[in-house]
Amino acid sequence: MSTDGPGPAPTDEPSGVDLARVALRAAREAARARGDAAQQRKQARRGGLRSGARADGRDPMALGSAINRLITERGWETPAAVGGVMGRWPEIVGGDLAKHCVPQRYDEDERVLVVQCDSTAWATQLRHLAPALVARLNEDLGHGTVRLIKVLNPGGPPRRYGPLRAPGSTGPGDTYG
């Protein structure tokens, strides 16, 4: 009997080499999973993840960037801008006016800048310049940041009435009773 046909029929079962490859791949994946889990446990014991070669959110940042980020996160943009104006006051109002009129505080709720002057003449001068100064400040800080400039007259020591005072006296109320 002659066999003209092709040889034995091929089987669909994997050969020894294929079985070895499948087993090696499964062993590598299992080892990788065990290694990843061990690495995570190790990092947790050390106090968290470590920074690597690439930049991420845990890397240190410049001081200026950190301060700007803090100001933005806390919503301190307007008070910080007004504080910058107080630092640049001589540039904004001019040297002569800055020598005699000093910004004291800014009320964020009322949007009022309070300025103290050292004489009534300079206080009057600042009151006349206030509308132009408000426009200039709003140009620098953003529209509506400063609504009004409140000018305070010069402060002095408390007025003492009468030419003579008794040492240690608290005024006319201490003699009655």
Side-chain angles (χ1 to χ4, degrees), residues 12 14 38 45 82 90:
D12 289 337
R45 276 191 307 247
V82 172

Side-chain angles (χ1 to χ4, degrees), residues 20-62:
R21 284 186 185 134
V22 169
L24 180 62
R25 187 178 308 127
R28 283 183 178 163
E29 287 175 5
R32 187 176 300 123
R34 281 192 312 271
D36 288 345
Q39 182 70 20
Q40 288 174 353
R41 284 192 305 270
K42 187 176 176 183
Q43 287 174 347
R45 276 191 307 247
R46 275 193 279 168
L49 299 173
R50 301 287 180 178
S51 182
R54 293 189 173 85
D56 62 7
R58 299 170 293 152
D59 286 340
M61 61 175 51

Side-chain angles (χ1 to χ4, degrees), residues 67-84:
I67 289 173
N68 288 337
R69 182 173 161 188
L70 179 68
I71 287 172
T72 303
E73 287 175 355
R74 302 287 173 123
W76 295 339
E77 290 93 357
T78 301
V82 172

Side-chain angles (χ1 to χ4, degrees), residues 72-97:
T72 303
E73 287 175 355
R74 302 287 173 123
W76 295 339
E77 290 93 357
T78 301
V82 172
V85 163
M86 291 184 179
R88 295 181 297 122
W89 184 252
E91 298 170 19
I92 294 171
V93 298
D96 289 338
L97 193 61

